[in-house]
Amino acid sequence: MHRRSFMATAGVAAVGVVSTLPAPAVAQDIRELTMVTSWPKGSAGLGSSAERLATRITELSDGRLQVNVFGAGDLVDAFEVFDAVSAGIADMYHSAEYYWHAKSPAFSFFTAVPFGLTANELAAWIHRGGGQELWDALSAEYGLKSLLATNTGVQMAGWFTKEVTSVESYKGLRYRMPGLGGEVLKQLGGIVANLPGGEIVAALQSGAIDAAEWVGPWMDLDFGLYEGGKYYYYPGFHEPGTALCLGINKQIWDGLSASDKRLIEHAAGTEYMMSLADFNAENGVALATLINDHGVELRRFDDDVITELGRASRDVLDGIGNSDAATSRVYSSFLEQRKSLMDWSDISERAYLNARGLAFSGA
Amino acid sequence: MHRRSFMATAGVAAVGVVSTLPAPAVAQDIRELTMVTSWPKGSAGLGSSAERLATRITELSDGRLQVNVFGAGDLVDAFEVFDAVSAGIADMYHSAEYYWHAKSPAFSFFTAVPFGLTANELAAWIHRGGGQELWDALSAEYGLKSLLATNTGVQMAGWFTKEVTSVESYKGLRYRMPGLGGEVLKQLGGIVANLPGGEIVAALQSGAIDAAEWVGPWMDLDFGLYEGGKYYYYPGFHEPGTALCLGINKQIWDGLSASDKRLIEHAAGTEYMMSLADFNAENGVALATLINDHGVELRRFDDDVITELGRASRDVLDGIGNSDAATSRVYSSFLEQRKSLMDWSDISERAYLNARGLAFSGA
């Protein structure tokens, strides 16, 4: 397997050095870093965000840190990236922390929680509410350092072959949904199927599954999911601001200069904002295409369904919230921060978006 | 007045240079850059965001770009920063573009528009919807290059000494509100007063004004505004995601290396995300303090009031949207992007926040 390599620059020609000019003590090394990802190489959305992040790191370091990106399956499989970086087989991963739920449910809180935090609220918890410190402690147990790197924004609840008329509709429903959202569906009697994105359409068309969530209009259009299910439901209660993570081998991270750590943090910080901008801009355009060109029918869950989804979500979280010591600490911080952030969002973002909707409804 | 200065490093001791090692062609210069701001030196929120941005630029450049921050009035006055940087008296400013509304109303679109874009939507327009190119063309006319650098999120409508019972309440109301929001108030018969933040409490207490907006719970608590007005109204229809700007003298910008441009873009990109995290986290805490410790009464505008505010906002925008060629281009792009972004936000962020509110209402 590919191992990290270090090589000294040899391409820079030595020039006449005047003794009064300062000179570096050692030649600058070009360092190659391997980034493994859980996305197909070259795919839009998540894949392109990982690529941009790698480019940012390389460019911000003036080419000193060369980040080479591998798609899912190219070096290690999609769900092996965590173990590979933990073991030092690769240097960093771009993936979703909820894939490591089986190691500790605490990881899921750093990706998406049903009725949890939006992209902006998550950033507030991680960067200003103690979230990063809890995440650092959790990741360190696995020899990793993790950073927020990407956010998809609110996802769609997904594609359904039949309408959801009440919470009873979930009984026996075969639904492709990962993470804590899948646990909520099980709680309601649904059957959770996990499939790679590329197999969703065929599974819906063959009747192997009845419903599937993927991401949102942009990526769903790209994958042709409108061919699998007629009804496109919202809101995505299960993933209100899905974060993707840059996970770095901790020995590599600890060995970086303060300056290189900072530039990686800035590459990730900027990409978090830019990826969200990307998803919001592209989703708006793709939504119009889905409705106008593909006859997709948008459906909002009824209030009763939402209330029951909320109840089931609370039950699931309470059940897993104290699975282990790390999860307890994370869950407790999450609950405290959600309360404060939600109280503010209710009178700011939420109240504003409703006011704008009202102001435009008769326009 | 302070002029930009360049000085070569002298503090780095020359070390023994082996001729086979590559060496830099020239010594690296330390470059001092002057940042003037529209905020009191050391003030929280906007002031601290400007300071963090300066530190990010200095740190990301390993001290090569030394950014020295000046508070309002320290080098030039709060509203003179644009002209100072345009003329090359200072190198960069941190301010709000709507302060330059009199030069061209086009500038206001890059700060806040009544019933306009949220922080995330604005980033989508600027970075993915052609906004940056329009802004670049506008700023270039004044010898400037501008970047999104900070966002406060949704602001509050502000502090009122009496209740707003209908849109008639705005007739004759003396209200401290800048920008396009102020134009909307005038449209409704209000009297717009512009006061620095530090004078708001006294003006409310003396009866010189009846209402005032500032920013939101965090900064409003800091300024003691709860002592001036009993009723705290939301949502802030007038500033749904107020952006602050890093404006840079264009000759300075054009003379920077590609690498230095990139690092400034990343410093600003990360600070945009971090400042929003800061405001959301701090507003949640401050809101609880205002209600629990200071007995502040939260009030939401009635639906009728919101509808009328929407109508007046459209009239104002239509009136100024074709003031000059630059404004026409910006307004047209803004309208097109708002439609697409709003259609998506309505079924994502808005629908989700309402669903979460519903799920928690009986919890």
Side-chain angles (χ1 to χ4, degrees), chain A residues 97 106-111 117 119-140 144-148 243 245 272 326-338 341, chain B residues 274 277 281:
Chain A
E97 295 288 77
F107 282 110
S108 290
F109 290 86
F110 302 108
T111 304
L117 308 177
N120 290 343
E121 291 169 346
L122 182 67
W125 176 41
I126 297 298
H127 296 299
R128 296 282 182 255
Q132 185 69 57
E133 292 73 14
L134 289 163
W135 198 4
D136 283 348
L138 174 67
S139 297
L144 294 162
K145 160 72 186 181
S146 299
L147 294 168
L148 286 182
C245 160
Y272 190 81
T327 306
S328 277
R329 282 190 295 270
V330 170
Y331 185 47
S332 154
S333 171
F334 165 86
L335 286 180
E336 182 196 325
Q337 291 287 316
R338 180 173 63 179
L341 291 164
Chain B
M274 286 290 198

Side-chain angles (χ1 to χ4, degrees), chain A residues 118 152-156 215 235-236 239-241 283, chain B residues 344 347-349 352:
Chain A
T118 63
T152 68
V154 183
Q155 297 205 355
M156 291 290 285
V215 179
E239 300 199 24
N283 279 337
Chain B
W344 168 238
I347 67 163
S348 57
E349 197 88 2
Y352 171 70

Side-chain angles (χ1 to χ4, degrees), chain A residues 291-340:
Chain A
I291 294 170
N292 300 332
D293 299 355
H294 299 293
V296 167
E297 290 193 36
L298 276 183
R299 287 278 190 283
R300 178 184 167 276
F301 290 125
D302 290 342
D303 285 357
D304 289 350
V305 171
I306 288 170
T307 304
E308 290 302 321
L309 288 169
R311 197 188 315 273
S313 297
R314 270 196 304 281
D315 289 348
V316 165
L317 286 188
D318 285 346
I320 65 115
N322 295 302
S323 308
D324 57 38
T327 306
S328 277
R329 282 190 295 270
V330 170
Y331 185 47
S332 154
S333 171
F334 165 86
L335 286 180
E336 182 196 325
Q337 291 287 316
R338 180 173 63 179
K339 168 82 175 73
S340 176

